[in-house]
Amino acid sequence: MITLSTEKGLVRIESWEDVESRPGFTRNLDPSTAVLAEIIGQYHFKDMFPCGLAGCRQPHAKGYLITTKDGRETNIGNVCGVRYFSVEFKQLRKVFRVSREDQERRERLHALQSRVAGLRGELHALRNGSPTLQSLQVHIGVLLGRTGGLPRGVREAIARTVRSGTGALTYERVLTKLERDRLRAAQEGAGNASRGSIPTAVEEQVGHLLGFTALAAGNDMRTLLLAIETALEQLMTADVDSLDSRALKTLSKLTSSIDPALTSLRGARANALKLLAAANLRQLEVFTDSPSERRVLRDFIASAAAGLAAQRQPAAVA
């Protein structure tokens, strides 16, 4: 395929026949008499085609489409361009690259601008749906120990789960004397090479927390939402066609995060719903040490369940 840079934007040509049929195209340009005007396109095909310079004719699959001062066009490879046109070719190649990158960025930004209304509508639904994003984030904040007063053992168990990256709920259990004696006997039976200190406790898995990735720092829903809204605000107010190369690059970099952040936001919300389900959170009761701690945890579970219940209520019919 060949990509042409024109005043109206990028034009993509699929076949080599279309290249050769362009007005002014020649297959045998004499570089000794030609004066290079500009590079207007870059191509990359599966098949190989002869270089358009009379002194070369070496087949190649990728290169540039150039024009001369007298209006002719031909195709040349990168090596031929430097060999026959030297510094001038290098300068025009840089100008073409910048122009192409600018036009590609404009294409992407225009396409993204056409989606703004839909993106804003989805953000509104994610933010204000039942349960609201704020409600989900508040309950997640409690689980992370930012607010509220969940029992220490529960908070520590959740922290271990987040660090593990597996969702496993683990509990440290003190070994009985019999278990330690058996370990010691096993070491002695295996010989001196395996001897070491006998552990006093073991870590056992007692559950698996669904939706635990909603607790990860990179899935903070408020942060993701703010990043998307900030990028959309700048995109909506931008006059893309009048931006210079530097501004185009800056805006393209900022807005390139919109779709990945939106995907993360959707996933974080879905995982938050799994995480805050009552049956899922009840697994944490094993980490409480007293009736009062269990009451605190159950109150939190009830609060989270009330928010999820709102999601299941049918919409009122006017």
Side-chain angles (χ1 to χ4, degrees), residues 82-130:
V82 175
R83 178 185 301 158
Y84 290 103
F85 298 106
S86 189
V87 175
E88 188 176 7
F89 176 81
K90 292 181 180 179
Q91 292 173 339
L92 290 176
R93 183 177 58 190
K94 182 178 180 180
V95 170
F96 171 78
R97 185 181 70 249
V98 172
S99 175
R100 186 194 63 194
E101 290 174 351
D102 285 352
Q103 292 187 51
E104 287 175 343
R105 290 183 179 117
R106 286 193 176 93
E107 283 186 350
R108 289 194 295 268
L109 289 171
H110 279 307
L112 198 51
Q113 281 182 328
S114 71
R115 296 172 51 207
V116 165
L119 290 169
R120 294 185 74 187
E122 182 172 359
L123 291 181
H124 178 82
L126 288 169
R127 184 197 299 109
N128 300 306
S130 294

mmCIF file of all heavy atoms in Angstrom, residues 82-130:
data_model
loop_
_atom_site.group_PDB
_atom_site.id
_atom_site.type_symbol
_atom_site.label_atom_id
_atom_site.label_comp_id
_atom_site.label_asym_id
_atom_site.label_seq_id
_atom_site.Cartn_x
_atom_site.Cartn_y
_atom_site.Cartn_z
ATOM 1 N N VAL A 82 19.188 8.712 -1.133
ATOM 2 C CA VAL A 82 20.358 9.337 -0.517
ATOM 3 C C VAL A 82 21.529 9.371 -1.501
ATOM 4 O O VAL A 82 22.270 10.364 -1.582
ATOM 5 C CB VAL A 82 20.751 8.581 0.771
ATOM 6 C CG1 VAL A 82 22.042 9.139 1.350
ATOM 7 C CG2 VAL A 82 19.625 8.652 1.804
ATOM 8 N N ARG A 83 21.694 8.304 -2.285
ATOM 9 C CA ARG A 83 22.842 8.214 -3.208
ATOM 10 C C ARG A 83 22.764 9.275 -4.303
ATOM 11 O O ARG A 83 23.755 9.934 -4.622
ATOM 12 C CB ARG A 83 22.877 6.826 -3.838
ATOM 13 C CG ARG A 83 24.002 6.645 -4.860
ATOM 14 C CD ARG A 83 23.892 5.298 -5.537
ATOM 15 N NE ARG A 83 23.970 4.222 -4.549
ATOM 16 C CZ ARG A 83 23.479 2.987 -4.770
ATOM 17 N NH1 ARG A 83 22.868 2.700 -5.900
ATOM 18 N NH2 ARG A 83 23.602 2.054 -3.834
ATOM 19 N N TYR A 84 21.578 9.463 -4.866
ATOM 20 C CA TYR A 84 21.465 10.357 -6.027
ATOM 21 C C TYR A 84 21.059 11.791 -5.669
ATOM 22 O O TYR A 84 21.372 12.717 -6.419
ATOM 23 C CB TYR A 84 20.463 9.782 -7.026
ATOM 24 C CG TYR A 84 20.958 8.542 -7.724
ATOM 25 C CD1 TYR A 84 20.503 7.279 -7.345
ATOM 26 C CD2 TYR A 84 21.888 8.629 -8.750
ATOM 27 C CE1 TYR A 84 20.960 6.131 -7.979
ATOM 28 C CE2 TYR A 84 22.357 7.480 -9.395
ATOM 29 C CZ TYR A 84 21.890 6.235 -9.003
ATOM 30 O OH TYR A 84 22.352 5.105 -9.627
ATOM 31 N N PHE A 85 20.360 11.952 -4.517
ATOM 32 C CA PHE A 85 19.887 13.298 -4.179
ATOM 33 C C PHE A 85 20.418 13.809 -2.844
ATOM 34 O O PHE A 85 20.074 14.913 -2.424
ATOM 35 C CB PHE A 85 18.352 13.321 -4.179
ATOM 36 C CG PHE A 85 17.753 12.998 -5.513
ATOM 37 C CD1 PHE A 85 17.146 11.760 -5.737
ATOM 38 C CD2 PHE A 85 17.808 13.905 -6.555
ATOM 39 C CE1 PHE A 85 16.593 11.451 -6.963
ATOM 40 C CE2 PHE A 85 17.252 13.604 -7.791
ATOM 41 C CZ PHE A 85 16.646 12.373 -7.998
ATOM 42 N N SER A 86 21.189 12.980 -2.141
ATOM 43 C CA SER A 86 21.963 13.382 -0.968
ATOM 44 C C SER A 86 21.138 14.109 0.099
ATOM 45 O O SER A 86 20.058 13.671 0.485
ATOM 46 C CB SER A 86 23.157 14.237 -1.415
ATOM 47 O OG SER A 86 24.039 14.467 -0.352
ATOM 48 N N VAL A 87 21.682 15.271 0.538
ATOM 49 C CA VAL A 87 21.094 16.001 1.664
ATOM 50 C C VAL A 87 19.674 16.448 1.350
ATOM 51 O O VAL A 87 18.792 16.442 2.222
ATOM 52 C CB VAL A 87 21.963 17.222 2.030
ATOM 53 C CG1 VAL A 87 21.299 18.055 3.110
ATOM 54 C CG2 VAL A 87 23.341 16.758 2.490
ATOM 55 N N GLU A 88 19.442 16.835 0.104
ATOM 56 C CA GLU A 88 18.101 17.310 -0.272
ATOM 57 C C GLU A 88 17.054 16.231 -0.034
ATOM 58 O O GLU A 88 15.962 16.508 0.461
ATOM 59 C CB GLU A 88 18.103 17.726 -1.740
ATOM 60 C CG GLU A 88 16.820 18.414 -2.171
ATOM 61 C CD GLU A 88 16.877 18.897 -3.603
ATOM 62 O OE1 GLU A 88 17.861 18.570 -4.305
ATOM 63 O OE2 GLU A 88 15.937 19.584 -4.025
ATOM 64 N N PHE A 89 17.400 14.987 -0.380
ATOM 65 C CA PHE A 89 16.471 13.880 -0.152
ATOM 66 C C PHE A 89 16.220 13.678 1.341
ATOM 67 O O PHE A 89 15.079 13.483 1.768
ATOM 68 C CB PHE A 89 17.007 12.591 -0.777
ATOM 69 C CG PHE A 89 16.152 11.390 -0.503
ATOM 70 C CD1 PHE A 89 15.016 11.144 -1.251
ATOM 71 C CD2 PHE A 89 16.474 10.508 0.524
ATOM 72 C CE1 PHE A 89 14.218 10.043 -1.000
ATOM 73 C CE2 PHE A 89 15.690 9.402 0.787
ATOM 74 C CZ PHE A 89 14.554 9.163 0.024
ATOM 75 N N LYS A 90 17.282 13.742 2.123
ATOM 76 C CA LYS A 90 17.137 13.559 3.576
ATOM 77 C C LYS A 90 16.227 14.628 4.168
ATOM 78 O O LYS A 90 15.377 14.336 5.034
ATOM 79 C CB LYS A 90 18.499 13.597 4.258
ATOM 80 C CG LYS A 90 19.407 12.429 3.928
ATOM 81 C CD LYS A 90 20.731 12.554 4.671
ATOM 82 C CE LYS A 90 21.668 11.403 4.357
ATOM 83 N NZ LYS A 90 22.968 11.529 5.072
ATOM 84 N N GLN A 91 16.388 15.862 3.732
ATOM 85 C CA GLN A 91 15.558 16.945 4.255
ATOM 86 C C GLN A 91 14.101 16.761 3.858
ATOM 87 O O GLN A 91 13.195 16.931 4.694
ATOM 88 C CB GLN A 91 16.087 18.287 3.745
ATOM 89 C CG GLN A 91 17.442 18.679 4.312
ATOM 90 C CD GLN A 91 18.024 19.922 3.659
ATOM 91 O OE1 GLN A 91 17.644 20.284 2.544
ATOM 92 N NE2 GLN A 91 18.959 20.580 4.353
ATOM 93 N N LEU A 92 13.869 16.410 2.585
ATOM 94 C CA LEU A 92 12.490 16.209 2.126
ATOM 95 C C LEU A 92 11.856 14.985 2.781
ATOM 96 O O LEU A 92 10.648 14.970 3.035
ATOM 97 C CB LEU A 92 12.458 16.073 0.606
ATOM 98 C CG LEU A 92 12.772 17.347 -0.185
ATOM 99 C CD1 LEU A 92 12.813 17.048 -1.674
ATOM 100 C CD2 LEU A 92 11.732 18.423 0.112
ATOM 101 N N ARG A 93 12.675 13.975 3.057
ATOM 102 C CA ARG A 93 12.162 12.788 3.748
ATOM 103 C C ARG A 93 11.676 13.158 5.145
ATOM 104 O O ARG A 93 10.624 12.690 5.601
ATOM 105 C CB ARG A 93 13.272 11.729 3.831
ATOM 106 C CG ARG A 93 12.841 10.415 4.464
ATOM 107 C CD ARG A 93 13.995 9.429 4.436
ATOM 108 N NE ARG A 93 15.165 9.969 5.138
ATOM 109 C CZ ARG A 93 16.374 9.402 5.103
ATOM 110 N NH1 ARG A 93 16.570 8.303 4.395
ATOM 111 N NH2 ARG A 93 17.383 9.926 5.763
ATOM 112 N N LYS A 94 12.426 14.027 5.834
ATOM 113 C CA LYS A 94 12.019 14.483 7.158
ATOM 114 C C LYS A 94 10.743 15.299 7.086
ATOM 115 O O LYS A 94 9.822 15.131 7.915
ATOM 116 C CB LYS A 94 13.144 15.302 7.787
ATOM 117 C CG LYS A 94 12.825 15.784 9.192
ATOM 118 C CD LYS A 94 14.005 16.556 9.788
ATOM 119 C CE LYS A 94 13.667 17.040 11.194
ATOM 120 N NZ LYS A 94 14.799 17.789 11.793
ATOM 121 N N VAL A 95 10.658 16.212 6.098
ATOM 122 C CA VAL A 95 9.450 17.024 5.918
ATOM 123 C C VAL A 95 8.245 16.129 5.656
ATOM 124 O O VAL A 95 7.164 16.341 6.231
ATOM 125 C CB VAL A 95 9.637 18.020 4.746
ATOM 126 C CG1 VAL A 95 8.302 18.694 4.400
ATOM 127 C CG2 VAL A 95 10.677 19.072 5.109
ATOM 128 N N PHE A 96 8.427 15.112 4.796
ATOM 129 C CA PHE A 96 7.324 14.194 4.492
ATOM 130 C C PHE A 96 6.890 13.436 5.735
ATOM 131 O O PHE A 96 5.687 13.276 5.994
ATOM 132 C CB PHE A 96 7.740 13.209 3.401
ATOM 133 C CG PHE A 96 6.725 12.107 3.192
ATOM 134 C CD1 PHE A 96 5.565 12.336 2.487
ATOM 135 C CD2 PHE A 96 6.935 10.843 3.745
ATOM 136 C CE1 PHE A 96 4.622 11.323 2.312
ATOM 137 C CE2 PHE A 96 6.005 9.832 3.579
ATOM 138 C CZ PHE A 96 4.845 10.077 2.857
ATOM 139 N N ARG A 97 7.862 12.944 6.509
ATOM 140 C CA ARG A 97 7.530 12.172 7.704
ATOM 141 C C ARG A 97 6.714 13.006 8.687
ATOM 142 O O ARG A 97 5.706 12.544 9.229
ATOM 143 C CB ARG A 97 8.809 11.666 8.374
ATOM 144 C CG ARG A 97 8.514 10.748 9.565
ATOM 145 C CD ARG A 97 9.773 10.256 10.241
ATOM 146 N NE ARG A 97 10.462 11.338 10.944
ATOM 147 C CZ ARG A 97 11.625 11.842 10.581
ATOM 148 N NH1 ARG A 97 12.239 11.389 9.498
ATOM 149 N NH2 ARG A 97 12.193 12.818 11.275
ATOM 150 N N VAL A 98 7.149 14.244 8.913
ATOM 151 C CA VAL A 98 6.417 15.121 9.827
ATOM 152 C C VAL A 98 5.017 15.395 9.302
ATOM 153 O O VAL A 98 4.031 15.357 10.056
ATOM 154 C CB VAL A 98 7.193 16.438 10.043
ATOM 155 C CG1 VAL A 98 6.341 17.439 10.826
ATOM 156 C CG2 VAL A 98 8.500 16.173 10.769
ATOM 157 N N SER A 99 4.904 15.678 8.003
ATOM 158 C CA SER A 99 3.603 15.959 7.404
ATOM 159 C C SER A 99 2.673 14.758 7.513
ATOM 160 O O SER A 99 1.494 14.894 7.851
ATOM 161 C CB SER A 99 3.782 16.338 5.936
ATOM 162 O OG SER A 99 2.546 16.501 5.303
ATOM 163 N N ARG A 100 3.221 13.569 7.234
ATOM 164 C CA ARG A 100 2.400 12.363 7.321
ATOM 165 C C ARG A 100 1.945 12.108 8.749
ATOM 166 O O ARG A 100 0.769 11.789 9.003
ATOM 167 C CB ARG A 100 3.188 11.149 6.800
ATOM 168 C CG ARG A 100 2.359 9.870 6.725
ATOM 169 C CD ARG A 100 3.254 8.674 6.532
ATOM 170 N NE ARG A 100 4.148 8.514 7.667
ATOM 171 C CZ ARG A 100 5.219 7.726 7.655
ATOM 172 N NH1 ARG A 100 5.545 7.054 6.559
ATOM 173 N NH2 ARG A 100 5.989 7.617 8.717
ATOM 174 N N GLU A 101 2.856 12.245 9.704
ATOM 175 C CA GLU A 101 2.491 12.039 11.108
ATOM 176 C C GLU A 101 1.432 13.040 11.552
ATOM 177 O O GLU A 101 0.492 12.685 12.269
ATOM 178 C CB GLU A 101 3.737 12.143 11.990
ATOM 179 C CG GLU A 101 4.702 10.977 11.810
ATOM 180 C CD GLU A 101 5.998 11.177 12.585
ATOM 181 O OE1 GLU A 101 6.207 12.300 13.112
ATOM 182 O OE2 GLU A 101 6.793 10.220 12.653
ATOM 183 N N ASP A 102 1.580 14.305 11.121
ATOM 184 C CA ASP A 102 0.575 15.316 11.470
ATOM 185 C C ASP A 102 -0.788 14.938 10.903
ATOM 186 O O ASP A 102 -1.816 15.062 11.599
ATOM 187 C CB ASP A 102 0.992 16.690 10.932
ATOM 188 C CG ASP A 102 2.112 17.337 11.734
ATOM 189 O OD1 ASP A 102 2.460 16.790 12.796
ATOM 190 O OD2 ASP A 102 2.636 18.380 11.299
ATOM 191 N N GLN A 103 -0.814 14.515 9.651
ATOM 192 C CA GLN A 103 -2.090 14.178 9.027
ATOM 193 C C GLN A 103 -2.699 12.920 9.645
ATOM 194 O O GLN A 103 -3.921 12.821 9.790
ATOM 195 C CB GLN A 103 -1.898 14.023 7.522
ATOM 196 C CG GLN A 103 -1.562 15.340 6.833
ATOM 197 C CD GLN A 103 -1.544 15.214 5.323
ATOM 198 O OE1 GLN A 103 -2.484 14.708 4.723
ATOM 199 N NE2 GLN A 103 -0.467 15.680 4.711
ATOM 200 N N GLU A 104 -1.863 11.955 10.005
ATOM 201 C CA GLU A 104 -2.379 10.761 10.675
ATOM 202 C C GLU A 104 -2.986 11.130 12.026
ATOM 203 O O GLU A 104 -4.035 10.602 12.415
ATOM 204 C CB GLU A 104 -1.254 9.741 10.854
ATOM 205 C CG GLU A 104 -0.851 9.054 9.557
ATOM 206 C CD GLU A 104 0.350 8.140 9.738
ATOM 207 O OE1 GLU A 104 1.061 8.279 10.766
ATOM 208 O OE2 GLU A 104 0.594 7.295 8.851
ATOM 209 N N ARG A 105 -2.320 12.041 12.747
ATOM 210 C CA ARG A 105 -2.864 12.476 14.031
ATOM 211 C C ARG A 105 -4.185 13.221 13.838
ATOM 212 O O ARG A 105 -5.131 13.052 14.622
ATOM 213 C CB ARG A 105 -1.844 13.349 14.764
ATOM 214 C CG ARG A 105 -0.635 12.572 15.273
ATOM 215 C CD ARG A 105 0.313 13.445 16.064
ATOM 216 N NE ARG A 105 1.446 12.663 16.562
ATOM 217 C CZ ARG A 105 2.705 12.863 16.231
ATOM 218 N NH1 ARG A 105 3.029 13.840 15.393
ATOM 219 N NH2 ARG A 105 3.668 12.101 16.732
ATOM 220 N N ARG A 106 -4.251 14.055 12.814
ATOM 221 C CA ARG A 106 -5.504 14.774 12.543
ATOM 222 C C ARG A 106 -6.636 13.786 12.232
ATOM 223 O O ARG A 106 -7.767 13.970 12.682
ATOM 224 C CB ARG A 106 -5.314 15.756 11.382
ATOM 225 C CG ARG A 106 -4.513 16.993 11.759
ATOM 226 C CD ARG A 106 -4.608 18.088 10.701
ATOM 227 N NE ARG A 106 -3.911 19.285 11.154
ATOM 228 C CZ ARG A 106 -2.651 19.574 10.890
ATOM 229 N NH1 ARG A 106 -1.925 18.729 10.141
ATOM 230 N NH2 ARG A 106 -2.077 20.674 11.362
ATOM 231 N N GLU A 107 -6.324 12.758 11.459
ATOM 232 C CA GLU A 107 -7.340 11.753 11.140
ATOM 233 C C GLU A 107 -7.866 11.098 12.413
ATOM 234 O O GLU A 107 -9.074 10.933 12.596
ATOM 235 C CB GLU A 107 -6.757 10.680 10.214
ATOM 236 C CG GLU A 107 -6.619 11.104 8.767
ATOM 237 C CD GLU A 107 -6.182 9.954 7.889
ATOM 238 O OE1 GLU A 107 -5.803 8.888 8.425
ATOM 239 O OE2 GLU A 107 -6.215 10.109 6.658
ATOM 240 N N ARG A 108 -6.939 10.695 13.290
ATOM 241 C CA ARG A 108 -7.352 10.024 14.525
ATOM 242 C C ARG A 108 -8.154 10.963 15.427
ATOM 243 O O ARG A 108 -9.149 10.557 16.038
ATOM 244 C CB ARG A 108 -6.118 9.496 15.267
ATOM 245 C CG ARG A 108 -5.447 8.310 14.591
ATOM 246 C CD ARG A 108 -4.461 7.623 15.531
ATOM 247 N NE ARG A 108 -3.346 8.488 15.868
ATOM 248 C CZ ARG A 108 -2.201 8.529 15.203
ATOM 249 N NH1 ARG A 108 -2.035 7.771 14.126
ATOM 250 N NH2 ARG A 108 -1.218 9.322 15.581
ATOM 251 N N LEU A 109 -7.715 12.216 15.494
ATOM 252 C CA LEU A 109 -8.404 13.167 16.375
ATOM 253 C C LEU A 109 -9.796 13.503 15.833
ATOM 254 O O LEU A 109 -10.754 13.616 16.608
ATOM 255 C CB LEU A 109 -7.565 14.440 16.523
ATOM 256 C CG LEU A 109 -6.280 14.274 17.345
ATOM 257 C CD1 LEU A 109 -5.409 15.515 17.242
ATOM 258 C CD2 LEU A 109 -6.598 13.974 18.807
ATOM 259 N N HIS A 110 -9.913 13.661 14.528
ATOM 260 C CA HIS A 110 -11.236 13.909 13.946
ATOM 261 C C HIS A 110 -12.166 12.718 14.207
ATOM 262 O O HIS A 110 -13.352 12.903 14.525
ATOM 263 C CB HIS A 110 -11.124 14.167 12.442
ATOM 264 C CG HIS A 110 -10.715 15.566 12.094
ATOM 265 N ND1 HIS A 110 -11.367 16.671 12.585
ATOM 266 C CD2 HIS A 110 -9.714 16.037 11.282
ATOM 267 C CE1 HIS A 110 -10.795 17.769 12.110
ATOM 268 N NE2 HIS A 110 -9.787 17.416 11.321
ATOM 269 N N ALA A 111 -11.629 11.509 14.041
ATOM 270 C CA ALA A 111 -12.438 10.312 14.290
ATOM 271 C C ALA A 111 -12.890 10.262 15.748
ATOM 272 O O ALA A 111 -14.034 9.898 16.053
ATOM 273 C CB ALA A 111 -11.643 9.058 13.927
ATOM 274 N N LEU A 112 -11.992 10.639 16.649
ATOM 275 C CA LEU A 112 -12.328 10.629 18.066
ATOM 276 C C LEU A 112 -13.341 11.724 18.397
ATOM 277 O O LEU A 112 -14.250 11.515 19.211
ATOM 278 C CB LEU A 112 -11.048 10.815 18.892
ATOM 279 C CG LEU A 112 -11.081 10.419 20.375
ATOM 280 C CD1 LEU A 112 -11.617 9.011 20.560
ATOM 281 C CD2 LEU A 112 -9.680 10.527 20.964
ATOM 282 N N GLN A 113 -13.209 12.878 17.752
ATOM 283 C CA GLN A 113 -14.173 13.953 17.973
ATOM 284 C C GLN A 113 -15.581 13.529 17.556
ATOM 285 O O GLN A 113 -16.567 13.931 18.186
ATOM 286 C CB GLN A 113 -13.756 15.208 17.201
ATOM 287 C CG GLN A 113 -12.645 16.006 17.874
ATOM 288 C CD GLN A 113 -12.290 17.268 17.110
ATOM 289 O OE1 GLN A 113 -12.374 17.310 15.887
ATOM 290 N NE2 GLN A 113 -11.874 18.301 17.830
ATOM 291 N N SER A 114 -15.680 12.713 16.536
ATOM 292 C CA SER A 114 -16.997 12.253 16.083
ATOM 293 C C SER A 114 -17.648 11.310 17.087
ATOM 294 O O SER A 114 -18.851 11.047 17.005
ATOM 295 C CB SER A 114 -16.877 11.562 14.727
ATOM 296 O OG SER A 114 -16.218 10.305 14.843
ATOM 297 N N ARG A 115 -16.861 10.793 18.034
ATOM 298 C CA ARG A 115 -17.382 9.854 19.040
ATOM 299 C C ARG A 115 -17.658 10.520 20.379
ATOM 300 O O ARG A 115 -18.103 9.848 21.322
ATOM 301 C CB ARG A 115 -16.364 8.723 19.254
ATOM 302 C CG ARG A 115 -16.107 7.846 18.052
ATOM 303 C CD ARG A 115 -14.941 6.900 18.327
ATOM 304 N NE ARG A 115 -15.116 6.190 19.588
ATOM 305 C CZ ARG A 115 -14.103 5.724 20.332
ATOM 306 N NH1 ARG A 115 -12.850 5.921 19.921
ATOM 307 N NH2 ARG A 115 -14.334 5.084 21.456
ATOM 308 N N VAL A 116 -17.393 11.816 20.482
ATOM 309 C CA VAL A 116 -17.470 12.490 21.780
ATOM 310 C C VAL A 116 -18.844 12.334 22.425
ATOM 311 O O VAL A 116 -18.959 12.033 23.623
ATOM 312 C CB VAL A 116 -17.101 13.984 21.647
ATOM 313 C CG1 VAL A 116 -17.521 14.752 22.896
ATOM 314 C CG2 VAL A 116 -15.599 14.132 21.440
ATOM 315 N N ALA A 117 -19.904 12.550 21.665
ATOM 316 C CA ALA A 117 -21.253 12.466 22.236
ATOM 317 C C ALA A 117 -21.508 11.079 22.827
ATOM 318 O O ALA A 117 -22.034 10.954 23.946
ATOM 319 C CB ALA A 117 -22.295 12.797 21.174
ATOM 320 N N GLY A 118 -21.132 10.039 22.093
ATOM 321 C CA GLY A 118 -21.321 8.681 22.592
ATOM 322 C C GLY A 118 -20.487 8.389 23.823
ATOM 323 O O GLY A 118 -20.947 7.736 24.767
ATOM 324 N N LEU A 119 -19.249 8.873 23.820
ATOM 325 C CA LEU A 119 -18.362 8.651 24.966
ATOM 326 C C LEU A 119 -18.892 9.361 26.207
ATOM 327 O O LEU A 119 -18.892 8.792 27.308
ATOM 328 C CB LEU A 119 -16.955 9.147 24.637
ATOM 329 C CG LEU A 119 -16.185 8.332 23.596
ATOM 330 C CD1 LEU A 119 -14.930 9.075 23.155
ATOM 331 C CD2 LEU A 119 -15.820 6.964 24.155
ATOM 332 N N ARG A 120 -19.358 10.585 26.044
ATOM 333 C CA ARG A 120 -19.901 11.325 27.187
ATOM 334 C C ARG A 120 -21.164 10.657 27.715
ATOM 335 O O ARG A 120 -21.394 10.618 28.929
ATOM 336 C CB ARG A 120 -20.191 12.764 26.789
ATOM 337 C CG ARG A 120 -18.942 13.564 26.460
ATOM 338 C CD ARG A 120 -19.272 15.015 26.177
ATOM 339 N NE ARG A 120 -19.603 15.726 27.396
ATOM 340 C CZ ARG A 120 -20.066 16.973 27.432
ATOM 341 N NH1 ARG A 120 -20.254 17.638 26.292
ATOM 342 N NH2 ARG A 120 -20.326 17.551 28.571
ATOM 343 N N GLY A 121 -21.968 10.109 26.812
ATOM 344 C CA GLY A 121 -23.165 9.393 27.253
ATOM 345 C C GLY A 121 -22.825 8.161 28.067
ATOM 346 O O GLY A 121 -23.467 7.889 29.092
ATOM 347 N N GLU A 122 -21.792 7.435 27.634
ATOM 348 C CA GLU A 122 -21.403 6.242 28.392
ATOM 349 C C GLU A 122 -20.820 6.618 29.749
ATOM 350 O O GLU A 122 -21.086 5.951 30.753
ATOM 351 C CB GLU A 122 -20.398 5.414 27.605
ATOM 352 C CG GLU A 122 -20.003 4.134 28.341
ATOM 353 C CD GLU A 122 -19.151 3.186 27.524
ATOM 354 O OE1 GLU A 122 -18.854 3.497 26.359
ATOM 355 O OE2 GLU A 122 -18.779 2.130 28.065
ATOM 356 N N LEU A 123 -20.027 7.682 29.790
ATOM 357 C CA LEU A 123 -19.474 8.131 31.076
ATOM 358 C C LEU A 123 -20.582 8.526 32.045
ATOM 359 O O LEU A 123 -20.509 8.238 33.243
ATOM 360 C CB LEU A 123 -18.524 9.303 30.861
ATOM 361 C CG LEU A 123 -17.192 9.006 30.152
ATOM 362 C CD1 LEU A 123 -16.366 10.276 30.049
ATOM 363 C CD2 LEU A 123 -16.416 7.923 30.887
ATOM 364 N N HIS A 124 -21.610 9.188 31.517
ATOM 365 C CA HIS A 124 -22.745 9.577 32.357
ATOM 366 C C HIS A 124 -23.411 8.328 32.950
ATOM 367 O O HIS A 124 -23.753 8.300 34.138
ATOM 368 C CB HIS A 124 -23.758 10.380 31.542
ATOM 369 C CG HIS A 124 -24.973 10.781 32.319
ATOM 370 N ND1 HIS A 124 -25.002 11.881 33.155
ATOM 371 C CD2 HIS A 124 -26.214 10.205 32.409
ATOM 372 C CE1 HIS A 124 -26.199 11.978 33.719
ATOM 373 N NE2 HIS A 124 -26.951 10.967 33.280
ATOM 374 N N ALA A 125 -23.594 7.301 32.109
ATOM 375 C CA ALA A 125 -24.221 6.072 32.582
ATOM 376 C C ALA A 125 -23.350 5.367 33.623
ATOM 377 O O ALA A 125 -23.858 4.850 34.627
ATOM 378 C CB ALA A 125 -24.493 5.147 31.399
ATOM 379 N N LEU A 126 -22.050 5.337 33.396
ATOM 380 C CA LEU A 126 -21.145 4.691 34.346
ATOM 381 C C LEU A 126 -21.114 5.440 35.677
ATOM 382 O O LEU A 126 -21.040 4.832 36.748
ATOM 383 C CB LEU A 126 -19.736 4.613 33.760
ATOM 384 C CG LEU A 126 -19.529 3.613 32.614
ATOM 385 C CD1 LEU A 126 -18.177 3.821 31.961
ATOM 386 C CD2 LEU A 126 -19.660 2.187 33.128
ATOM 387 N N ARG A 127 -21.169 6.768 35.608
ATOM 388 C CA ARG A 127 -21.091 7.580 36.818
ATOM 389 C C ARG A 127 -22.391 7.542 37.614
ATOM 390 O O ARG A 127 -22.375 7.434 38.842
ATOM 391 C CB ARG A 127 -20.754 9.025 36.471
ATOM 392 C CG ARG A 127 -20.563 9.913 37.700
ATOM 393 C CD ARG A 127 -20.633 11.392 37.369
ATOM 394 N NE ARG A 127 -19.606 11.807 36.427
ATOM 395 C CZ ARG A 127 -19.846 12.140 35.163
ATOM 396 N NH1 ARG A 127 -21.089 12.077 34.672
ATOM 397 N NH2 ARG A 127 -18.865 12.528 34.381
ATOM 398 N N ASN A 128 -23.524 7.629 36.924
ATOM 399 C CA ASN A 128 -24.796 7.836 37.609
ATOM 400 C C ASN A 128 -25.711 6.617 37.634
ATOM 401 O O ASN A 128 -26.831 6.706 38.132
ATOM 402 C CB ASN A 128 -25.541 8.999 36.941
ATOM 403 C CG ASN A 128 -24.746 10.286 36.997
ATOM 404 O OD1 ASN A 128 -24.325 10.715 38.050
ATOM 405 N ND2 ASN A 128 -24.515 10.896 35.839
ATOM 406 N N GLY A 129 -25.236 5.499 37.099
ATOM 407 C CA GLY A 129 -26.061 4.294 37.150
ATOM 408 C C GLY A 129 -26.236 3.808 38.575
ATOM 409 O O GLY A 129 -25.664 4.340 39.527
ATOM 410 N N SER A 130 -27.067 2.795 38.749
ATOM 411 C CA SER A 130 -27.304 2.224 40.078
ATOM 412 C C SER A 130 -26.563 0.903 40.194
ATOM 413 O O SER A 130 -26.800 -0.001 39.386
ATOM 414 C CB SER A 130 -28.795 2.000 40.309
ATOM 415 O OG SER A 130 -29.480 3.218 40.360
#
